[in-house]
Amino acid sequence: YDGALTAICCTASLANVAYVNTYGGNFRRNICRNVGINVVYLLSMGLVGVLTLSTPNPLNCIFRVNCDTPNSLACGAIPIVDEVSVGGIGECFLGPQVKPWQNHSR
């Protein structure tokens, strides 16, 4: 769970830092009136919330947060993600070396 926790904390931290760093400058609109920045910030924080609080689903498996093997195997049918992914999408969540023994443990 260390990798998932680190990803969630880093995403939330980077979103907050980016939001706070848009405060200053004469060339920028006030942060309260800058709709684009507020929408992107709310979407990124909403994504962190969904990844943290939802049950295992294909979106969580794409980010490798709160995922299980059946949902990871179901992600193999997503064509765009499968082409750009380095690996692991659509395979056993615990790793290919565990899959033969996982069927025996049920």
Side-chain angles (χ1 to χ4, degrees), residues 21-91:
N21 285 336
T22 61
Y23 280 167
N26 294 331
F27 53 90
R28 290 191 180 126
R29 280 188 275 168
N30 187 345
I31 194 69
C32 298
R33 294 186 183 136
N34 197 339
V35 177
I37 294 295
N38 287 323
V39 167
V40 169
Y41 176 72
L42 289 175
L43 286 175
S44 62
M45 294 308 288
L47 177 66
V48 169
V50 166
L51 290 176
T52 305
L53 300 175
S54 66
T55 59
N57 58 46
L59 177 67
N60 287 1
C61 290
I62 291 171
F63 286 95
R64 290 293 191 192
V65 174
N66 196 12
C67 183
D68 58 358
T69 300
N71 284 309
S72 179
L73 294 173
C75 288
I78 303 174
I80 296 172
V81 174
D82 189 36
E83 292 178 12
V84 298
S85 176
V86 175
I89 301 296
E91 297 175 2

